[in-house]
Amino acid sequence: MRINGYLYETHMHTSEASACARSGGAEMAEAYARTGYTGIIVTDHFFYGNTRVDRKLPWSDWVEGFCLGYEHTRAEGDRLGLQVFFGWESCYNGTEFLIYGPDKEWLLAHPEIKDATIEEQFRLIHEAGGIISHAHPCREASYLSEMRLFPEYVDAVEGMNGGHSGNPGSFKEKHLEFNEAAIAYAREHDLPLTAGSDQHSVEMVYGGMIFPRKLRDIHDFARAVTGREALRLLDGTEWGHSR
């Protein structure tokens, strides 16, 4: 199935920084470029999430290790003509948020983000010109003791997560009802939607967002999300190529 527009991945992990990922950044870039994506956002698990980087390291060393997945992905993406943007997935006792906007230099200068509350995270990310999307807010899983929603502290909701698609590259079990509930939650609070594959390996899920134009950078992505510019959201149940 051919998709008219520019296809962007908004949620993916690399094995350099996420303990649950099975493929490195360069491999991931090659897979996305080969399957027709215009760009991807690397969102590895942050400090209190399923990070691979040793939390005992000094902050600057931890950030350097955390950013390796993005840097390897970016280097290969540049070689292949694939746009690669930086983000991360923060975790609060299983409740997770996708952060878009701040870069490595911002992280190095703001160690307070590591222990920020959800409210403080919202303030800090907004001060940096970024946005926050609540990742898979209605997912039910063994690592989630309860569903917690924070509409006042997010700018968007991940309404479609490819991990729920039943696609071989996803979490295996099909649970589209988690996406349906997330979309209903976003609509209830008039929040824009994001969509991503939640990709952990090169076994492609094919989720993401289709925009009518090529995005310039991560801040342009943030503006496109809050401006509700997406033409379509993909949940991983269909095949697609950007032009």
Side-chain angles (χ1 to χ4, degrees):
M1 176 180 176
R2 182 175 179 82
I3 294 173
N4 293 321
Y6 298 86
L7 177 57
Y8 285 83
E9 174 65 89
T10 71
H11 186 171
M12 53 84 69
H13 302 273
T14 72
S15 60
E16 287 92 336
S18 294
C20 46
R22 303 186 299 281
S23 300
E27 295 176 275
M28 298 293 275
E30 191 281 328
Y32 278 104
R34 172 170 39 83
T35 49
Y37 280 77
T38 301
I40 61 178
I41 307 174
V42 179
T43 55
D44 278 313
H45 289 292
F46 202 56
F47 194 87
Y48 291 114
N50 199 12
T51 182
R52 188 179 297 277
V53 188
D54 188 352
R55 296 185 184 92
K56 296 178 183 177
L57 289 170
W59 177 246
S60 60
D61 293 339
W62 188 87
V63 171
E64 291 291 341
F66 173 70
C67 291
L68 279 179
Y70 162 73
E71 290 169 352
H72 292 170
T73 310
R74 175 68 184 270
E76 185 67 5
D78 286 348
R79 189 182 74 81
L80 297 170
L82 176 76
Q83 290 181 301
V84 180
F85 304 149
F86 178 71
W88 67 86
E89 186 173 18
S90 65
C91 182
Y92 292 83
N93 296 316
T95 302
E96 294 177 300
F97 302 93
L98 295 163
I99 311 299
Y100 304 114
D103 57 14
K104 177 181 178 179
E105 287 66 34
W106 186 91
L107 281 177
L108 288 168
H110 292 83
E112 67 271 23
I113 191 62
K114 174 173 73 71
D115 292 307
T117 65
I118 291 172
E119 296 88 341
E120 290 167 344
Q121 172 183 257
F122 186 72
R123 175 181 59 81
L124 287 165
I125 299 306
H126 271 224
E127 288 175 354
I131 65 168
I132 300 171
S133 181
H134 193 152
H136 42 72
C138 301
R139 174 181 291 172
E140 297 177 15
S142 59
Y143 70 91
L144 293 168
S145 59
E146 60 179 333
M147 183 174 67
R148 301 187 300 159
L149 303 177
F150 299 89
E152 67 272 36
Y153 297 121
V154 298
D155 302 283
V157 170
E158 187 182 54
M160 291 189 182
N161 181 289
H164 307 149
S165 66
N167 182 300
S170 70
F171 299 116
K172 308 306 180 187
E173 295 182 6
K174 190 172 184 177
H175 284 291
L176 295 181
E177 70 273 15
F178 298 164
N179 290 344
E180 292 166 1
I183 292 170
Y185 163 57
R187 287 174 176 164
E188 179 184 355
H189 295 279
D190 193 28
L191 289 165
L193 294 169
T194 63
S197 299
D198 207 348
Q199 192 90 25
H200 285 69
S201 76
V202 295
E203 193 172 8
M204 299 298 289
V205 175
Y206 309 111
M209 303 178 70
I210 303 168
F211 292 98
R213 60 184 179 87
K214 189 173 183 179
L215 304 176
R216 294 188 295 276
D217 53 28
I218 190 64
H219 296 290
D220 196 24
F221 168 76
R223 288 189 292 270
V225 168
T226 56
R228 307 181 194 227
E229 292 185 33
L231 297 174
R232 288 182 62 195
L233 306 179
L234 301 184
D235 64 4
T237 60
E238 58 184 314
W239 170 272
H241 288 292
S242 65
R243 69 183 181 198

